[in-house]
């Protein structure tokens, strides 16, 4: 589902009065003159196109009334800059003359100040114009010379500070002067576009050539020393819809030998270098997960763990100048209590924390781990265990990826409305600053008051779903926390059913994104699915099977995201062991592979190999995350079937993100010869302040957005072809922001691909396994099970170890006919001396007793024999 997020480019004025008073201008310089044909620098100054791209802070909602941009301004604000209307992305040229003009009215009347300024600290002012607005609406015009250049300045009308409340309107805003900007031409490098990181030896290897040629072209794969390793001819593809380029495809999949520094040569061009290796994604798994530690709120970030340049004090713990998050009030008239909502992850480039986006990101980290229980290539989760990430909790006996997910889970639990209060059990939609803050800004330096926003049904169900996951996944590691999650999930789900239509307001976007969603049937389906998988209870099964999503096609051609989450429930019902009837599980799994087949067809149709349509509607805010989520469906289809075509499809989706695209850029910081590094972020603002770092390696940019939803790209890229609607600039929040839900998708797919090693052809299973649960004992506190393994191969097995993972809190008590042990959720059974050999066609059986506190107790989804999956 395409989702539009009004994000943190709306930078409110936070500077002190002494800073704002500095005009830094030669306003009114004698002799300054702007020619009548000088270019206009303000967009939509007559408001004929509605409100966009104007924004406000400290005011009521903006609206166009009788052709004017109007709003309400509270009385009694202490300073003029406590309320304002503005536009970003104003290009200024040092030494050039400009004329600023506008019509302003106010009732009953107020002093205003128009300021052209730097949009972040130290908020340098390039020019100011003082005026008085009353009922008459007289025209204000002033000409001045700008002392400094800035390609993306702010124009702010400061309208606060009056004793009385005002109704304020603007019209005919104009800033003429300077020079028309040169057309922007991105540096796209060599015309041969490849995955700049590399390819798996046994996987697909595809490239794209941008060329005017219409006939097939010769190509050569060359080593780092220039030796020709392979050659062939390209396939002409015509004009690609998304890029507007005439392109050819190259398939060099037949070359399977590992190597480093390889290049592809065609049409007189040499690609960026790349590797062929079974380990190309190993570090990306770690880097993409490490991003979350760097985004943590409420904890000091340790430079010894992720690099000294990323060290910073804890943010939003109520230490001056912070005013949150340990004792946060609600917005006015929302609640009469305060909550401790410390912790969690900063959502994106701003300092807000949003439950619906945090829910999706948490789900994907938890699901990345849960996949290891059922995926044949995941090696039982060894690469995601304890001491695999650089996090403070490493070495505590819990897988580090679960430790990272817990940081957000604890925050989500704290957002629940307390018992005894109205809407108890519901979950507040978000918490963020009262006003937009500038960029860059360290979290510890944020002076804005923080506020809880109203509870919403969507947020409540997000917490219910992820807390239900928490209950089953944390049970082997922290039973008390798992119980707390389970209780919160049940309470939240019941509260959501009692309040099924409480929606976040799309207008609630001052100081943070709205994240509004008025269709929550998909959230109900997802939450019911997770609660059923954790508890096995009939009431949740009844709800999920009654949902219209249960039999619908939940896999959108343009991927799933925070606003459409039915696919999450479907994916887990397909992969997490449960008590669903076999025919129902078969139907559900067929829906996953059916969607994957459609994505494969799209990949074949796209010259750049994307599992997304090529029209402009497929290039939207955060589309890179949706592209990966389609790859997640392909990867899941591979896990379910073992059919390599699905794995190959997931690999090709990553080719696009890592350089095989029209811009020839890797969208992942630190990965590839030419990669994004100036993503929109208050913490990683190197482009604005060289003393700050760029985003850490493994940070994913949102990607091309044909809607051009920030002023910077709107001015820079008008009329761009969809795949070209991106710029690696900190000012472009609609194409180049970071976000936790995009990085969680990257972490999921990177972990999957790292598990594929050399991507060999899937091996034929040489064993079958039957698991029988003989029922409970001790009043339901334990059960007895038996596993029978048959050797379906042609060679005798001489010594064996069988492994599988429980779904929840099950704990081994004793075993017979095998020496058994348990680590986390994984049970390992090794042969006794008398049953070590399994002849072809022969069987071996072992049994065990285990305890459980209740909940779902299905047969495991994967049983391995000596590391190989049994069917």
């Amino acid at each position: 589902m395409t989702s539009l997020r009004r994000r943190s480019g709306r930078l409110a004025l936070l500077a002190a009065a002494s800073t704002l008073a500095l005009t830094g201008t030669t306003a009114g310089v004698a002799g300054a003159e702007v020619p009548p044909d000088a270019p206009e620098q303000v967009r939509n100054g007559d408001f004929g196109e509605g409100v966009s791209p104007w924004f406000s802070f400290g005011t009521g909602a903006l609206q166009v009334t009788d052709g004017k941009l109007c709003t309400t301004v509270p009385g009694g604000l202490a300073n003029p800059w406590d309320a304002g209307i503005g536009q970003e992305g104003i290009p200024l040229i040092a030494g050039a003359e400009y004329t600023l003009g506008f019509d302003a009215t106010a009732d009953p009347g107020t002093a205003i100040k128009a300021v052209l300024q730097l949009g972040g600290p130290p908020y340098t002012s390039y020019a100011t114009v003082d005026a008085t607005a009353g009922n008459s609406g007289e025209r204000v015009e002033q000409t001045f010379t700008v002392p400094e250049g800035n390609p993306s300045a702010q124009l702010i009308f400061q309208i606060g500070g009056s004793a009385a409340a005002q109704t304020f309107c603007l019209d005919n805003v104009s800033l003429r002067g300077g020079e028309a900007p040169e057309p922007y031409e991105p540096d796209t490098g060599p015309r041969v576009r490849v995955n700049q990181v590399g390819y798996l030896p046994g996987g697909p290897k595809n490239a794209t050539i941008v060329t005017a040629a219409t006939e097939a072209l010769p190509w050569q794969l060359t080593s780092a020393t220039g030796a020709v390793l392979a050659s062939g001819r390209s396939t002409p593809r015509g004009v690609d819809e998304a890029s507007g380029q005439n392109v050819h495809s190259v398939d060099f999949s037949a070359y399977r030998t590992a190597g480093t520094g390889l290049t592809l040569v065609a049409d007189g061009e040499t690609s960026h270098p790349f590797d062929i290796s079974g380990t190309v994604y190993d570090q990306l798994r770690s880097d993409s997960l490490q991003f979350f530690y760097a985004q943590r709120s409420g904890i000091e970030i340790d430079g010894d763990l992720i690099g000294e340049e990323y060290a910073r004090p804890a943010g939003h713990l109520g230490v001056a100048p912070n005013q949150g998050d340990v004792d946060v009030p609600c917005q006015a008239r929302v609640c009469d209590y305060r909550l401790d909502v410390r912790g969690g992850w900063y959502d994106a480039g701003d300092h807000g924390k949003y439950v619906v986006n945090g829910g999706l990101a948490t789900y994907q980290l938890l699901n990345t781990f849960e996949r290891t229980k059922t995926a044949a290539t995941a090696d039982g989760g060894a690469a995601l265990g304890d001491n695999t990430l650089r996090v403070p909790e490493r070495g505590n006996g819990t897988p580090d990826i679960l430790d990272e997910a817990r940081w957000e889970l604890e925050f989500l639990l704290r957002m629940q409305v307390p018992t005894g209060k109205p809407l108890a059990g519901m979950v507040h939609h978000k918490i963020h600053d009262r006003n937009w803050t500038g960029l860059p800004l360290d979290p510890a330096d944020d002076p804005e008051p923080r506020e809880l926003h109203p509870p919403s049904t969507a947020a409540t169900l997000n917490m219910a779903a992820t807390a239900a996951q928490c209950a089953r996944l944390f049970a082997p590691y922290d039973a008390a926390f798992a119980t707390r999650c389970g209780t919160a999930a049940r309470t939240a789900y019941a509260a959501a059913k009692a309040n099924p239509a409480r929606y976040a307001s799309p207008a609630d976007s001052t100081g943070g994104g709205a994240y509004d969603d008025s269709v929550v049937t998909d959230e109900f389906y997802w939450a019911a699915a997770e609660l059923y998988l954790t508890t096995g209870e009939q009431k949740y099964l009844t709800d999920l099977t009654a949902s219209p999503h249960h039999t619908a096609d939940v896999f959108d051609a343009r991927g799933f995201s925070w606003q459409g989450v039915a696919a999450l429930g479907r994916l887990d019902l397909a992969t997490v062991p449960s008590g669903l009837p076999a025919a129902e599980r078969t139907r559900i799994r067929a829906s996953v592979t059916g969607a994957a087949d459609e994505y494969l067809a799209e990949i074949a149709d796209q010259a750049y190999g994307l599992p997304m349509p090529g029209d402009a509607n497929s290039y939207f805010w955060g589309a890179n995350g949706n592209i990966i989520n389609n790859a997640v469906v392909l990867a899941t289809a591979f896990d379910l079937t073992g059919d390599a075509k699905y794995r190959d499809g997931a690999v090709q989706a990553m080719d696009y993100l890592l350089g095989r695209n029209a811009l020839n850029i890797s969208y992942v910081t630190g990965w590839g010869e030419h990669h994004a590094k100036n993503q929109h972020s208050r913490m990683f603002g190197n482009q604005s302040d060289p003393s700050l770092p760029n985003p850490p390696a493994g940070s994913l940019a949102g990607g091309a957005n044909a809607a051009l939803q920030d002023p910077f790209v709107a001015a820079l890229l008008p009329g761009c072809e969809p795949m070209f609607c991106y710029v690696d600039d900190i000012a472009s929040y609609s194409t180049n922001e970071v976000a936790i839900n995009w990085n969680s998708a990257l972490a999921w797919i990177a972990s999957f691909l790292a598990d594929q090693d050399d991507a060999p052809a899937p091996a034929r299973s040489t064993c079958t396994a039957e698991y029988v649960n003989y029922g409970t004992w001790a009043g339901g506190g334990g059960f007895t099970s038996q596993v029978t393994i048959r050797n379906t191969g042609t060679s005798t097995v001489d010594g064996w170890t069988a492994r599988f993972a429980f779904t929840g809190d099950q704990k081994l008590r004793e075993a017979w006919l095998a020496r058994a042990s348990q680590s986390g959720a994984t049970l390992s059974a090794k042969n006794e001396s008398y049953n070590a050999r399994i002849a072809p066609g022969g069987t071996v059986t072992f049994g065990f007793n285990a305890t459980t506190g209740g909940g779902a107790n299905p047969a495991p989804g994967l049983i391995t024999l000596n590391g190989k999956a049994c069917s």
Side-chain angles (χ1 to χ4, degrees), residues 481-530:
F481 181 58
T483 298
R484 181 177 156 216
C485 283
T487 300
R490 291 172 179 273
T491 301
Y493 187 77
K497 291 188 72 173
N499 299 274
R502 288 190 172 270
Y503 307 130
S505 169
D508 188 10
S509 58
T510 299
Y515 280 103
D516 54 301
D517 185 1
S518 58
V519 177
V520 295
T521 53
D522 53 321
E523 280 87 358
F524 271 109
Y525 178 63
W526 174 34
E530 299 297 349

Side-chain angles (χ1 to χ4, degrees), residues 811-826:
K811 290 190 180 300
L812 174 70
R813 197 176 80 172
E814 66 264 330
W816 48 93
L817 303 178
R819 293 165 290 156
S821 62
Q822 184 173 347
S823 176
T826 301

Side-chain angles (χ1 to χ4, degrees), residues 442-650:
D442 190 278
D445 295 333
D446 177 13
E448 273 291 315
R450 307 274 277 179
E451 294 178 329
L452 290 164
H453 293 247
S456 72
T457 305
T460 304
L461 291 166
N462 266 262
M463 193 275 267
T466 53
Q469 282 181 288
C470 163
R472 64 178 182 264
L473 292 177
F474 276 88
Y477 306 102
D478 189 333
F481 181 58
T483 298
R484 181 177 156 216
C485 283
T487 300
R490 291 172 179 273
T491 301
Y493 187 77
K497 291 188 72 173
N499 299 274
R502 288 190 172 270
Y503 307 130
S505 169
D508 188 10
S509 58
T510 299
Y515 280 103
D516 54 301
D517 185 1
S518 58
V519 177
V520 295
T521 53
D522 53 321
E523 280 87 358
F524 271 109
Y525 178 63
W526 174 34
E530 299 297 349
L531 278 159
Y532 169 68
L533 291 170
T534 296
T535 68
E537 292 179 13
Q538 181 63 43
K539 63 181 179 181
Y540 301 119
L541 178 60
T542 298
D543 284 357
L544 78 88
T545 53
S547 169
H549 296 286
H550 191 53
T551 53
D553 181 2
V554 297
F555 297 106
D556 193 287
R558 295 180 176 87
F560 60 83
S561 190
W562 64 268
Q563 211 169 29
V565 294
L568 310 186
R570 183 70 60 80
L571 289 169
D572 275 8
L573 289 170
T575 56
V576 178
S578 72
L580 286 173
E584 181 73 338
R585 282 180 66 86
T586 298
R587 181 192 67 79
I588 290 170
R589 291 181 170 190
S591 73
V592 176
T593 56
D597 288 335
E598 293 182 7
Y599 296 147
L600 287 178
E602 195 62 65
I603 287 172
D605 192 51
Q606 294 291 316
Y608 279 103
L610 280 77
M612 288 266 275
D615 63 309
N617 291 332
S618 298
Y619 291 82
F620 47 83
W621 200 322
N624 278 351
N626 290 54
I627 290 169
I628 297 177
N629 287 335
N630 282 353
V632 167
V633 176
L634 286 160
T636 303
F638 171 75
D639 285 342
L640 292 172
T641 66
D643 191 329
K645 68 180 181 180
Y646 298 122
R647 178 180 64 194
D648 290 352

Side-chain angles (χ1 to χ4, degrees), residues 229-245:
L229 304 175
S231 62
R233 298 188 70 82
S234 66
T235 301
R237 301 295 296 270
V239 176
D240 174 59
E241 178 183 11
S243 67
Q245 300 167 318

Side-chain angles (χ1 to χ4, degrees), residues 38-104:
E40 176 63 63
Q41 308 299 345
V42 168
R43 297 172 301 286
N44 191 27
D46 63 359
F47 310 107
E49 299 176 8
V51 171
S52 181
W54 295 89
F55 65 90
S56 68
F57 54 92
T59 72
L62 294 177
Q63 57 186 359
V64 176
T65 303
D66 297 329
K68 301 178 181 180
L69 184 69
C70 298
T71 190
T72 57
V73 185
L77 296 176
N79 303 295
W81 52 86
D82 289 339
I85 296 174
Q87 184 176 126
E88 297 178 302
I90 306 290
L92 299 177
I93 299 173
E97 291 82 26
Y98 296 84
T99 296
L100 175 64
F102 55 89
D103 302 332

Side-chain angles (χ1 to χ4, degrees), residues 83 97 132 195 199 268 357 361 366 382 406 432 499 529 533 581 680 770:
E97 291 82 26
T132 300
N195 180 329
Y199 300 87
N357 214 41
L366 293 174
R406 181 170 181 165
H432 55 66
N499 299 274
L533 291 170
H680 180 87
E770 180 184 25

Side-chain angles (χ1 to χ4, degrees), residues 578-785:
S578 72
L580 286 173
E584 181 73 338
R585 282 180 66 86
T586 298
R587 181 192 67 79
I588 290 170
R589 291 181 170 190
S591 73
V592 176
T593 56
D597 288 335
E598 293 182 7
Y599 296 147
L600 287 178
E602 195 62 65
I603 287 172
D605 192 51
Q606 294 291 316
Y608 279 103
L610 280 77
M612 288 266 275
D615 63 309
N617 291 332
S618 298
Y619 291 82
F620 47 83
W621 200 322
N624 278 351
N626 290 54
I627 290 169
I628 297 177
N629 287 335
N630 282 353
V632 167
V633 176
L634 286 160
T636 303
F638 171 75
D639 285 342
L640 292 172
T641 66
D643 191 329
K645 68 180 181 180
Y646 298 122
R647 178 180 64 194
D648 290 352
V651 168
Q652 290 195 66
M654 287 302 293
D655 290 347
Y656 168 81
L657 293 162
L658 295 175
R660 187 192 173 199
N661 53 59
L663 287 165
N664 207 3
I665 189 171
S666 167
Y667 286 109
V668 182
T669 303
W671 284 78
E673 185 84 2
H674 176 51
H675 58 80
K677 62 180 181 180
N678 295 311
Q679 287 99 322
H680 180 87
S681 168
R682 279 158 178 72
M683 291 183 289
F684 312 126
N686 177 269
Q687 189 179 3
S688 296
D689 182 350
S691 69
L692 297 175
N694 290 114
S699 302
L700 177 67
N705 177 4
L708 300 178
Q709 289 171 277
D710 65 73
F712 187 82
V713 289
L716 192 70
L717 302 174
C720 56
E721 297 291 349
M723 204 180 287
F724 279 100
C725 297
Y726 167 85
V727 62
D728 182 26
D729 195 287
I730 197 170
S732 181
Y733 51 87
S734 73
T735 75
N736 201 38
E737 194 169 11
V738 293
I740 54 176
N741 62 314
W742 307 334
N743 246 78
S744 62
L746 179 64
W748 196 106
I749 201 68
S751 184
F752 168 84
L753 292 172
D755 285 342
Q756 304 313 307
D757 299 321
D758 286 354
R764 182 179 66 87
S765 177
T766 58
C767 58
T768 62
E770 180 184 25
Y771 180 98
V772 179
N773 185 333
Y774 288 106
T776 61
W777 43 262
F783 63 98
T784 299
S785 289

